[in-house]
Structure formats: C-alpha cells, structure tokens
Amino acid sequence: MTLPELEALMLSLGEPKYRGAQLYKWLYAIGAGSFDEMSNLPQALRERLAAGFSPDCLRMVAREAAKDGTAKYLFELQDGLRIETVYMPEGERSTVCLSTQVGCPLGCAFCATGSMGLRRDLLAGEIIEQAIQVRRERPGITNVVFMGMGEPLLNYEHTLKAVRLLNDGVGIGARRMTISTSGVVPGIRRLAREGLQVKLAVALNASRDDLRNILMPVNRRYPLSVLKQAMQDFARATGKLVSVEYVLLQGVNDSQREARELVQFLRGIPCKVNLIPYNPVPGKEFARPSPERAERFKQYLLPHLSSVTLRRSRGRTVRAACGQLCTRTTSRRARPALRERATISPKIPPRPDPSHS
Ligand code: SF4
C-alpha cells in the first residue's frame, strides 16, 4: 500500500490521517511483522488492524544457505503458490534477487522457472515483501535485482510500483536496483521514459538469431536487431550502461565463435558484460563449462569490451538457478494483507505472446 492509500485507510477507519504515515514507516522502513510492534499506534487501533489484516502477505516455508553466505528462500503466497528469493552477500554489498511472477511465460530452454509456465503475476506488495522478510533475517540489504522467477517487464505496473515503494518506503536507492529482462523491447522502451535511476540488465545468452530463438523464444518476437536498437536507445536516454548477462552453456554458446559474435553484437552499445557459468538444472540437458573454458571466453572478450566480469559460482549448494527450490503448491486461508491490498488496482497491459512471431 502506498502512503496515500494507507492514509485513506486510516481515514476510513475514523483515525487521523497521520496514522497512515506511521503505519507506512512500520511496514516498509522498519518492516514490522506484526501490529503489536507498532508501539506509537494506539492499542485499540493495533487490535482493529490485527483483527482485519495481516502486515505480511508471504509466508516463509523454506530456506537454504550456502557456505559463501548465499541464501535461498521459498515463500508461499496467500493463494498457496510459491516463489523464490535469493540473498547474495559480497563484500560491502548485500543483494536480494526478487521474483516478479509465479513461473514465467517465456520458456527459455535452460531455465527451471520457464518449464513451469506462467501461473500469475505478483502484486507489488508480494514483490517488495520478499526484500522486507529477507531483511528481517539479514539486515543491511544494499541492492535489489529483479532477476528471480518471471520476466519483470511483462509485469510492468507492479514491478515499477515495487521499485518506487522500495525506494521511498524501504529506503533502497533506485541506483541500487536493477531490472533484468530477457529482451521485452516495449518494456525496455517504456522504462527508458520513466526518468528513474534504476538500471537495466539484458539476459542475452546468444548473439545470433538462430541460436537465441532456440535458447530464448522471446527472440522470435523481438529479434536481436530490434533488441540492440532498444538497448542503444536506453543507454542514450538514461546515460547508463546496460548490463549484459551471458550465461555460459558448455558447447552451446561458449566457443570462440560465440565470443566473436558477442563482440560484434555489442559494438555501439554502452554496456558492461557479466559472464555467468550455468548452474545445472535437473532435467535440462545443458552443462556448465569448465573454469578454463569460461576463462578463455572472457579473455577473448577483454581486449574488445570495456568491462567484462566472470561471475564466480554462487550458492551452488542452495540450487541457486531459478525455479529449483519451488516444486509444488499448497493452499491456505489468510486475512487480507496490507502490503497486498495496496496493489490490487493497477491494470496490467496485455502481454505479448512470444510464440506469435
Ligand atoms: S530465464 Fe527468465 S525470462 Fe527466461 S524463462 Fe527463466 S525466468 Fe523466464
């Protein structure tokens, strides 16, 4: 719920408007998990709120932690569906990776989430609360990436509402947030016009259409030439580098040929490149390249591109490839949650169907 929405709720309950600001602070800046904690609200109001609402709309049902500090969380939504969130500490930085949909409609060949299909879009409150609940256990989150289950730019309204609430309510700078897309060009163009400091990452994974059509079917709708133009325009409009994510799949996109194609594709795009060795997914035929092979790919790129990093393996013991912890759904009854109620109204535009190219 936004601040004006909470103020309206307080007025509707016969409370002064400023109670909305108090509640807003408890829900987002502090991240209270119960109305009991909200010590500057009158006891009677706390009891009324507790009788009608829950401050949380997610229930944490599992967590796994790796030795490197990476932790993966499984949350259950009020309709029983489940989503994943990953926490990744690295030096001074602590990043939380948020899901924006339950499943994903885009069906990338290497992705566990893609195999689930789309169950539904997440509400803004459900997106934000992943960060809030992780922060309760691990304070000091500095960065947010929208790179978990789902394609954020196909759930545009709720993702952008979550960005704004994370910024204004939770207190995470927009510069420290990155929206990652598989290449949904209308969403990239719309994001460029928002005037936000939020960064863009593009999961590229192949630099020629025939290969990318197979790995990422969204490419049939928005082929590489169209995607490249959108990336260039985004960089020009925002003055920001585009992050290019490239998952290395052994024997598929990690040879010198693909490295050369990547250099060619990125010519003229202000960008930095993150190479990510694949985390194998049970049931998928793709494999992770050896460290030497991944390093060779990086070395080929280095003289041609201004910034190339090869991400070290993170959280392999917590199955950090998306969709691997989320295996089944259950149902449960729940009271309406304030963070969820807040986000029901905005209408989501019809999503493009990548199979209709
Ligand atoms: S990689 Fe991303 S866009 Fe592709 S299916 Fe998985 S969640 Fe969806």
Side-chain angles (χ1 to χ4, degrees), residues 101 103-115 147-152 180-182 203 205 215-218 322:
Q101 296 181 308
C104 180
L106 295 181
C108 297
F110 49 83
C111 173
T113 303
S115 305
M147 215 177 268
M149 299 170 75
E151 163 55 64
S180 175
T181 180
S182 57
N205 306 328
L215 294 178
M216 305 182 73
V218 68
C322 62

Side-chain angles (χ1 to χ4, degrees), residues 168-188:
D168 181 66
V170 179
I172 296 173
R175 292 194 161 74
R176 293 178 173 273
M177 293 188 229
T178 302
I179 293 180
S180 175
T181 180
S182 57
V184 176
V185 166
I188 295 173

Side-chain angles (χ1 to χ4, degrees), residues 137-184:
E137 286 205 343
R138 298 167 192 275
I141 288 171
T142 58
N143 292 65
V144 168
V145 292
F146 296 85
M147 215 177 268
M149 299 170 75
E151 163 55 64
L153 296 184
L154 290 184
N155 186 14
Y156 191 92
E157 301 288 351
H158 290 292
T159 298
L160 265 283
K161 186 168 183 178
V163 165
R164 292 192 166 100
L165 276 169
L166 282 164
N167 182 219
D168 181 66
V170 179
I172 296 173
R175 292 194 161 74
R176 293 178 173 273
M177 293 188 229
T178 302
I179 293 180
S180 175
T181 180
S182 57
V184 176

Side-chain angles (χ1 to χ4, degrees), residues 9 14 32 59 70 103 106 117 130 136 142 168 172 196 200 242 256 274 279 283 291 310 324 333 345 354:
L9 175 67
R59 187 170 68 97
T70 302
L106 295 181
Q130 297 167 58
R136 277 183 205 148
T142 58
D168 181 66
I172 296 173
L196 290 170
L200 175 72
V242 176
Q256 198 153 323
N274 295 319
N279 263 333
L310 174 58
Q324 289 182 67
R333 288 175 188 282
S345 47

Side-chain angles (χ1 to χ4, degrees), residues 38 66 72 85 92 101 108-109 117 123 128 132 152 161 180 254 268 270 285 307 318 320 323 334:
M38 302 182 182
K72 189 160 188 171
T85 307
E92 308 265 284
Q101 296 181 308
C108 297
L123 302 167
I128 301 159
I132 290 172
K161 186 168 183 178
S180 175
D254 66 342
E285 69 275 28
S307 170
V318 297

